[in-house]
Structure formats: C-alpha cells, structure tokens
Amino acid sequence: MLKRVRIQKIMTSTEIAEVQTLNAEIWGSQAIPLHQLLAVVQNGGLVLGAYLGEKLIGFNYCFVGCREGMMYLHSHMIGVEKTYREQGVGELLKHAQQEYAKEHGFQLVRWLFDPLEARMANLSFLKLNAFSYQYENDYYGPLQDDFNEGLPSDRIVIEWWIERDQVEDSLDELEEEAEGIVSWSLTVDGLPVLDIDSEFRRDQSFYKDAYLLPIPQFSQKIKVESPKLAEDWRYKVRTILTTLFEQNYAIVRMKKHDEYVHSYLLVRRSLLAL
C-alpha cells in the first residue's frame, strides 16, 4: 500500500477543504479554518497531503517559526486516517517535510506531542532520530477533542536537526546499560501503572549515563477504562521527565517491549553533544 501513496503540497481551497474534513474525522473537533490554512500556504508555510489514489489519507501542517534569532520549520499538526495508521504514512509525510526544509534552507524542524502517546514517540525517536529535552506543562490549556479531553495538555518539544549525524551505535550501547528510573506493574484490571509505591523523589540526583522510563503502549485505552489512572500517568511522567531534563538528560530513543509499556531512553546530553 505504501508504495502507492503519493505526497504533495496542498495549495488550493478545494484541497484545504479536504484537509479540514480529515482533521475533524481524526480529532472529533472543529477543523482549522480554511482561511488560516490558505494564508499559511501562501505565506511561506506548508501543508502536505498523503494521497492513496485520489483519496486524502493524511496531512502535515507546518509554518515558519523563529526562536533566539534562528528560523525553523514548526510542524504543528500531523494526522493519518485511522484505517491507514501504523503503515508508515506519517513517516512519508515527515520525510517530505524534511526535503522541503532542506530545499528552503531550514536546519531544524520542531514539533510537540503528548509524552504518553507511544505512536508519536515511535515516529519521532525511532524512525526519525529526533530528540527532546524540554517539557511544557498544560501547553494548550484544556482541550476538548477526542484525543486530549480529560487530561492537562502536557507536551514535550521535539527537535529534528536535518543534517545531524547518526549515533546509532552509541545509542545501542547506552540502551544496553540503561536502568529503569522507576518500576511499573499491572492493576487487577490488567492496566499498567507507574511507580505504584511512589518511590521517585523530585530532589534525587541522577548520575548514570542512561535511564529508561516506561510509558503506556495504549494511553487512550487507559484514559477510557480508568481516567484516574491516566491522570496518575500524566503527573508522574511530568515529574520524572521534568526532573531528568533539568539534570541535562534528553530523550533520544524509544525502546519497544512486547506488552503494556514501551520505554523512553534518556541519555546525558553531554555524551551526544546535545
């Protein structure tokens, strides 16, 4: 299927209307206004569409950002129709975004995502080799869409440097030696719970080169079946990542496991010159 998917720039109001429809289907909320998307694509921004035949099955919405005097491409939203997820469509969109960035002189692409969402973690850290060392509490305030309603809209900031050298061998070694920051277990209902005895302390110092932090494989399932447990994951992961980021660690990879959880690999930034 993936070989039949084509990626193209969205430029017309008709194409943007299709993006709006898909946006509403994915998030169950109001789509981005047509006039805003049209203004973006006509003024240096980018909307990419993934098409299977004539059907739009995914999109990526980006605009130009500037921080501390540096221009970059900010990837605000990426979405794939449910039927076609886990098949590499998101990765195709990101690599098309990468080519656009190269052609237009951007060295950096940035985006944000919910640190409990394993699907985006897989795309960002395993497939694209991006990294993160910045945590934002309740970044957007209360959100009412299907994915975000009920929890603070916490986000981690992702940096994807277009020309960054690969360091896979070093990460393999660090992943081998990494130890868990905290343990996880299962509730009587078979849902994963993090650090059930609250052993993690905000004031502790970390000194090893690498650590592993569990995140749920299916956070949306937890949110539906146990909202209190989803909230527990939110605040514990917030505390742990904030602590590790303050002590100069960065998320550089996600380690996959067979069931219940995956793990973030956090590494000292100085080891990778981050």
Side-chain angles (χ1 to χ4, degrees):
M1 185 278 292
L2 201 59
K3 292 182 179 179
R4 295 186 285 122
V5 175
R6 76 178 191 279
I7 308 297
Q8 69 177 52
K9 290 174 65 175
I10 299 292
M11 295 299 296
T12 70
S13 58
T14 301
E15 293 169 336
I16 289 173
E18 293 179 333
V19 170
Q20 286 184 301
T21 299
L22 182 55
N23 170 263
E25 289 175 2
I26 292 171
W27 278 276
S29 62
Q30 184 178 6
I32 302 167
L34 186 148
H35 63 80
Q36 179 180 336
L37 286 177
L38 193 59
V40 166
V41 299
Q42 292 181 353
N43 292 277
L46 175 69
V47 180
L48 293 168
Y51 289 86
L52 186 60
E54 297 304 312
K55 181 181 181 182
L56 180 72
I57 63 171
F59 71 94
N60 189 191
Y61 163 39
C62 323
F63 52 83
V64 178
C66 181
R67 185 180 294 264
E68 297 178 353
M70 180 179 183
M71 306 292 286
Y72 57 87
L73 199 60
H74 182 83
S75 181
H76 179 60
M77 184 178 290
I78 185 169
V80 176
E81 185 180 321
K82 187 174 183 180
T83 308
Y84 301 100
R85 291 173 194 162
E86 310 284 354
Q87 298 184 53
V89 178
E91 189 174 2
L92 281 182
L93 284 163
K94 296 301 286 187
H95 283 301
Q97 181 189 70
Q98 182 184 43
E99 289 304 310
Y100 178 89
K102 286 180 180 179
E103 291 170 5
H104 291 79
F106 295 106
Q107 300 177 38
L108 173 66
V109 180
R110 299 172 87 246
W111 62 91
L112 299 91
F113 74 84
D114 184 338
L116 298 182
E117 289 294 337
R119 184 183 290 114
M120 277 302 299
N122 178 63
L123 174 63
S124 300
F125 300 121
L126 273 181
K127 294 186 176 181
L128 302 178
N129 299 304
F131 57 86
S132 176
Y133 50 82
Q134 183 179 341
Y135 197 100
E136 298 289 346
N137 294 351
D138 201 19
Y139 185 76
Y140 297 108
L143 295 174
Q144 304 304 317
D145 63 82
D146 294 347
F147 280 92
N148 295 288
E149 187 174 13
L151 289 179
S153 57
D154 287 21
R155 297 293 185 265
I156 50 176
V157 180
I158 308 301
E159 293 190 2
W160 189 29
W161 290 87
I162 301 303
E163 302 294 343
R164 180 170 174 249
D165 293 334
Q166 301 296 307
V167 289
E168 291 301 307
D169 291 343
S170 298
L171 294 186
D172 289 343
E173 295 174 8
L174 289 163
E175 185 177 301
E176 284 289 326
E177 67 184 49
E179 66 176 43
I181 298 172
V182 291
S183 62
W184 67 276
S185 54
L186 292 177
T187 67
V188 293
D189 297 319
L191 297 175
V193 57
L194 186 68
D195 192 17
I196 194 168
D197 296 320
S198 299
E199 295 178 350
F200 185 85
R201 302 191 318 277
R202 185 78 171 82
D203 60 351
Q204 67 191 96
S205 296
F206 292 88
Y207 59 91
K208 293 184 179 295
D209 289 339
Y211 292 94
L212 293 169
L213 170 63
I215 62 167
Q217 288 190 20
F218 304 107
S219 62
Q220 294 297 321
K221 179 177 186 290
I222 294 175
K223 194 168 70 171
V224 170
E225 296 185 11
S226 179
K228 287 186 178 180
L229 180 57
E231 189 175 33
D232 184 69
W233 272 100
R234 166 65 81 228
Y235 289 116
K236 285 178 178 175
V237 167
R238 174 193 287 184
T239 298
I240 293 169
L241 283 181
T242 299
T243 300
L244 270 291
F245 288 171
E246 287 174 352
Q247 295 188 32
N248 292 313
Y249 288 84
I251 301 172
V252 294
R253 180 181 279 183
M254 188 181 75
K255 181 177 182 179
K256 285 191 167 183
H257 305 291
D258 292 335
E259 293 185 294
Y260 303 113
V261 302
H262 296 313
S263 294
Y264 284 136
L265 175 66
L266 290 112
V267 171
R268 281 193 179 281
R269 290 171 56 184
S270 58
L271 294 177
L272 303 175
L274 299 181

